[in-house]
Amino acid sequence: MSIIAVGSLAFDTVTTTEGTREKMLGGSLTHFSNAAAFLSKPKLVGVVGEDFRGEPWKFLEGKASSLEGVEVLAGEKSFFWQGQYTSDFDTAITQDTQLNAFAKFKPVTPASYLADDPLLFLGNIDPVIQTDVAGQCKGCRLKLLDTMNFWINNTPDALREAFRHVDAIVINEGEARALSGETNLVTAGEKLMAPHFRFLILKKGSHGVFVFGKDYLVSLPAYPIRKVVDPTGAGDSFAGAFVSYLDARKVDPSDREAMKKAAVYATVVASFAVEGFGVEGIDRVTPAMIEKRTKEFCDIAGFMFE
Amino acid sequence: MSIIAVGSLAFDTVTTTEGTREKMLGGSLTHFSNAAAFLSKPKLVGVVGEDFRGEPWKFLEGKASSLEGVEVLAGEKSFFWQGQYTSDFDTAITQDTQLNAFAKFKPVTPASYLADDPLLFLGNIDPVIQTDVAGQCKGCRLKLLDTMNFWINNTPDALREAFRHVDAIVINEGEARALSGETNLVTAGEKLMAPHFRFLILKKGSHGVFVFGKDYLVSLPAYPIRKVVDPTGAGDSFAGAFVSYLDARKVDPSDREAMKKAAVYATVVASFAVEGFGVEGIDRVTPAMIEKRTKEFCDIAGFMFE
């Protein structure tokens, strides 16, 4: 069992009500790995510039089981994003995007990654590349894809093609509505599930998450966070924790109760993500802190039929 | 054990994406009683015009254990509200409000109501009247108050005074933010709880509910509704089901697990409310339907710590 994860590796300059942090380690692959590492360190496929050497590289080495698929482009800088969140944390206003090395991303999945019956996570990147990587990883027992409004709006056909090559997608509320044309999130999720997928994760931020399966629906509230510091990467952290749980516990996606437990676990791990800037929120977490918060989450939201 | 409930009795003309219904039975007291009646039929305190005789009165007789406190004003018409919901059901645009008999509401709680150690529910009305009724019902073991933005914005001092006479309040997201000045709903609820209350119910519509207690927090998602027909009265239905559960099961508000069960029950009952126009959604429900949906809700959202 193992995980192959593909996505962006970046530096982020982020401003929230809690302050500004410059050139923090970021990118979907970084946040995914940071959250997955507690249960299953993924094998990464990505691209960086020379500025990723040193501390950032060491950080990834601690969270991943292999960096063989991460290319370092000579003479290039890494992907850079700068953004500011509104005071309700609902919207990120992009102030600067420099693709740099990421513009030349031609992922090659190392042959060694395909051993151990891996899961595949395709982070939010160009759907043409997602389709290409899905093709390289045909043997993976379960393939998940994350996307965003940019691809839904600008390359819908390529995205629909990418959908044909995966088993599950991870989207948020706005993306679900845009993809389905439905306002109601339950019908949106069910409409998207129907033709394509074995399951669909619909993230609702502070309002929790839906997991749509072939013949079930799971709905959980978020773990209540009193002080959000930086929401960047919370969705990728949720995905990383969720996928690591599927891998470590050998979850069958048709098993509703096991999928619910994966969602509980991911809810708890992702809740730490927003309590610090960048990767800090989760990086300082211990397994004991996850267990304690899982118990708290059960006190808050857990119940059984009687 | 019993419930005294005070509030509006009205006729509503409502337009949603599903159509328009004219002069349906409505009002906070009607929706509250409709949902409470499965477990504990309340004793009502309200005012109506002569147009409430016949079918509307008969309906209330079926949902209440006493109408002794409902005054019929000769020569008057009942409260009338007309509104239209936006297609996402998030906002109701008021098109007409005629207070009619409701403008002369001077509630008198019958002495007979005060037997049986009752709970008191003060529906969304002028906080001066809420304070008055709370004074008439001093002996009630638990007093709950519902309010709305109109009173928060226009009579904040009277509302603060009313808060001093109750044990718990029922508010929604916007009201919680307006009352507390906090954007984060968890800190908003905790800030409001601190000086005043034994518990606080924070309704989030399709996003579920928080129940804040002295030393606990309960958070539940909503029961997923695929087709909303009319959200009018959903909040009052939640309150009615919740209070009826507290009454019927003799719940101690400091008992987190019992309060969580009350919230699960109210979530399920209120979910039926939005599936029909006016009182129809809940009126057609049987106890077996509630039990079936409670089981489904547990499949969707129930989990335990392991």
Side-chain angles (χ1 to χ4, degrees):
Chain A
M1 315 288 275
S2 69
I3 301 167
I4 303 173
V6 189
S8 60
L9 296 160
F11 291 109
D12 293 340
T13 293
V14 173
T15 299
T16 76
T17 52
E18 300 305 304
T20 296
R21 289 294 188 90
E22 308 221 332
K23 299 199 172 174
M24 298 181 294
L25 192 52
S28 61
L29 200 46
T30 305
H31 291 293
F32 179 91
S33 305
N34 198 26
F38 298 101
L39 294 183
S40 178
K41 294 183 180 180
K43 296 165 179 165
L44 307 190
V45 179
V47 66
V48 294
E50 292 183 336
D51 52 1
F52 223 82
R53 286 187 174 132
E55 283 302 317
W57 192 265
K58 240 185 243 172
F59 181 89
L60 284 188
E61 279 181 332
K63 306 294 182 180
S65 61
S66 175
L67 300 182
E68 188 188 340
V70 179
E71 197 179 3
V72 184
L73 292 190
E76 288 282 356
K77 292 202 290 183
S78 300
F79 185 13
F80 173 74
W81 179 77
Q82 182 168 350
Q84 175 159 6
Y85 287 88
T86 53
S87 62
D88 60 6
F89 293 100
D90 274 355
T91 313
I93 299 150
T94 292
Q95 296 163 321
D96 193 5
T97 303
Q98 297 170 23
L99 291 177
N100 300 326
F102 199 61
K104 300 179 179 170
F105 190 29
K106 293 211 174 65
V108 180
T109 310
S112 66
Y113 281 21
L114 299 169
D116 306 325
D117 198 19
L119 294 172
L120 175 66
F121 177 75
L122 299 164
N124 161 39
I125 49 175
D126 184 336
V128 173
I129 298 182
Q130 290 179 319
T131 299
D132 182 40
V133 178
Q136 294 172 26
C137 300
K138 269 204 186 94
C140 286
R141 69 196 146 100
L142 195 65
K143 304 185 195 78
L144 292 87
L145 176 155
D146 191 3
T147 191
M148 69 182 290
N149 270 333
F150 180 84
W151 310 112
I152 295 169
N153 298 330
N154 294 297
T155 62
D157 294 339
L159 185 58
R160 293 280 168 188
E161 176 62 23
F163 283 176
R164 294 185 51 241
H165 300 274
V166 297
D167 304 292
I169 59 171
V170 183
I171 51 179
N172 68 25
E173 291 176 81
E175 292 154 10
R177 292 194 169 110
L179 275 169
S180 67
E182 296 280 340
T183 304
N184 183 299
L185 286 177
V186 186
T187 50
E190 289 176 345
K191 189 170 165 182
L192 293 169
M193 260 299 288
H196 290 298
F197 306 117
R198 293 175 66 190
F199 65 95
L200 182 154
I201 297 174
L202 203 169
K203 299 169 294 175
K204 300 186 290 174
S206 65
H207 294 304
V209 67
F210 284 134
V211 180
F212 295 85
K214 280 282 185 211
D215 56 3
Y216 66 81
L217 171 59
V218 165
S219 177
L220 294 177
Y223 176 86
I225 293 293
R226 286 160 185 83
K227 190 167 189 66
V228 176
V229 172
D230 173 15
T232 312
D236 294 310
S237 300
F238 186 94
F242 192 92
V243 172
S244 73
Y245 189 99
L246 298 193
D247 186 50
R249 306 291 169 90
K250 301 183 175 63
V251 172
D252 174 352
S254 69
D255 178 347
R256 184 193 66 211
E257 289 306 308
M259 293 291 275
K260 201 189 280 173
K261 281 174 194 162
V264 167
Y265 176 77
T267 293
V268 169
V269 173
S271 75
F272 289 107
V274 303
E275 293 185 312
F277 275 103
V279 297
E280 290 171 9
I282 287 183
D283 189 40
R284 64 192 172 209
V285 166
T286 62
M289 288 164 69
I290 295 174
E291 192 182 345
K292 181 166 178 282
R293 189 168 283 193
T294 306
K295 173 75 170 61
E296 282 167 18
F297 186 55
C298 183
D299 288 345
I300 290 165
F303 67 94
M304 289 297 269
F305 186 68
E306 59 177 36
Chain B
M1 313 291 275
S2 69
I3 300 168
I4 303 173
V6 188
S8 60
L9 296 160
F11 292 110
D12 293 339
T13 293
V14 173
T15 300
T16 77
T17 52
E18 300 305 305
T20 295
R21 289 293 187 89
E22 309 222 332
K23 297 198 174 173
M24 298 181 294
L25 192 51
S28 61
L29 200 47
T30 305
H31 291 293
F32 179 91
S33 305
N34 197 26
F38 298 102
L39 294 183
S40 178
K41 293 181 181 180
K43 296 164 179 165
L44 307 190
V45 179
V47 66
V48 294
E50 291 183 335
D51 52 359
F52 223 80
R53 286 187 175 130
E55 284 301 317
W57 192 265
K58 240 185 241 169
F59 181 88
L60 284 189
E61 280 182 332
K63 305 294 183 181
S65 60
S66 174
L67 299 182
E68 189 188 339
V70 179
E71 196 180 3
V72 184
L73 293 190
E76 289 281 356
K77 293 202 289 185
S78 301
F79 185 14
F80 173 73
W81 178 76
Q82 180 168 350
Q84 174 158 8
Y85 287 88
T86 53
S87 62
D88 59 6
F89 293 100
D90 275 354
T91 312
I93 299 149
T94 292
Q95 296 163 320
D96 194 4
T97 303
Q98 298 170 21
L99 291 177
N100 300 326
F102 200 60
K104 300 179 181 172
F105 189 29
K106 291 208 177 67
V108 179
T109 311
S112 67
Y113 281 22
L114 298 170
D116 305 325
D117 198 17
L119 294 173
L120 174 66
F121 178 75
L122 299 163
N124 161 38
I125 49 174
D126 185 336
V128 173
I129 298 181
Q130 291 179 317
T131 297
D132 182 40
V133 177
Q136 294 173 26
C137 300
K138 268 206 186 92
C140 286
R141 70 194 146 101
L142 196 65
K143 305 185 194 79
L144 291 87
L145 176 155
D146 191 3
T147 190
M148 71 182 290
N149 270 332
F150 180 82
W151 310 111
I152 294 169
N153 297 331
N154 294 296
T155 63
D157 295 338
L159 185 59
R160 292 281 169 186
E161 176 61 21
F163 283 176
R164 294 184 51 241
H165 300 273
V166 298
D167 303 293
I169 59 171
V170 183
I171 51 179
N172 69 23
E173 291 175 82
E175 292 154 8
R177 292 193 170 112
L179 276 169
S180 67
E182 297 279 341
T183 305
N184 183 298
L185 287 177
V186 186
T187 51
E190 288 176 343
K191 189 170 164 182
L192 294 169
M193 260 299 288
H196 291 297
F197 307 117
R198 293 173 66 188
F199 65 94
L200 183 154
I201 297 173
L202 204 169
K203 299 169 293 176
K204 300 186 291 173
S206 65
H207 293 304
V209 68
F210 284 133
V211 181
F212 295 85
K214 281 282 186 209
D215 56 3
Y216 65 80
L217 171 60
V218 164
S219 177
L220 294 176
Y223 177 87
I225 293 293
R226 286 159 186 83
K227 191 168 187 66
V228 176
V229 172
D230 173 15
T232 311
D236 294 309
S237 300
F238 186 93
F242 193 91
V243 172
S244 72
Y245 190 98
L246 298 193
D247 186 50
R249 305 293 167 90
K250 300 183 176 61
V251 172
D252 174 351
S254 69
D255 179 346
R256 184 193 67 212
E257 289 307 307
M259 292 290 276
K260 201 188 282 173
K261 281 173 194 160
V264 167
Y265 177 77
T267 293
V268 169
V269 174
S271 74
F272 289 107
V274 303
E275 294 185 311
F277 274 103
V279 297
E280 289 171 9
I282 286 184
D283 189 41
R284 63 192 173 208
V285 167
T286 62
M289 288 163 72
I290 294 174
E291 192 182 346
K292 180 164 179 280
R293 189 169 284 193
T294 305
K295 173 75 170 63
E296 282 167 16
F297 186 55
C298 184
D299 288 346
I300 291 165
F303 67 93
M304 289 297 269
F305 185 68
E306 58 175 36

